[in-house]
Amino acid sequence: MRVRSVLVSLLAGVVVFILGTVLVTEALGPYVWPSLMVGLVAGAVVGALAAALVWHRGRDGTARSGEANG
């Protein structure tokens, strides 16, 4: 179960990173010349946060089910 939660967390982080980067880059394109540079930083931040939240949420879920059954 641990490997699965790590893989799901990484996948969520990568997907949110890509979406965040594209959205910020496109939104700032007309206003900021290096919009990709800003988008990459923003995407990295939200991707890392998403991965951490999904991993933490997965740990909480397994702890709760283990307490309920044990």
Side-chain angles (χ1 to χ4, degrees):
M1 202 58 137
R2 175 174 261 197
V3 172
R4 180 178 166 208
S5 65
V6 170
L7 290 176
V8 169
S9 299
L10 287 175
L11 180 64
V14 168
V15 168
V16 171
F17 166 74
I18 292 169
L19 289 175
T21 300
V22 169
L23 289 174
V24 171
T25 301
E26 287 300 315
L28 294 179
Y31 308 109
V32 180
W33 169 72
S35 60
L36 180 59
M37 298 302 286
V38 176
L40 284 172
V41 172
V45 169
V46 297
L49 285 173
L53 288 173
V54 169
W55 181 73
H56 183 69
R57 179 80 172 172
R59 285 186 55 202
D60 284 349
T62 55
R64 278 191 218 127
S65 65
E67 290 174 2
N69 293 333

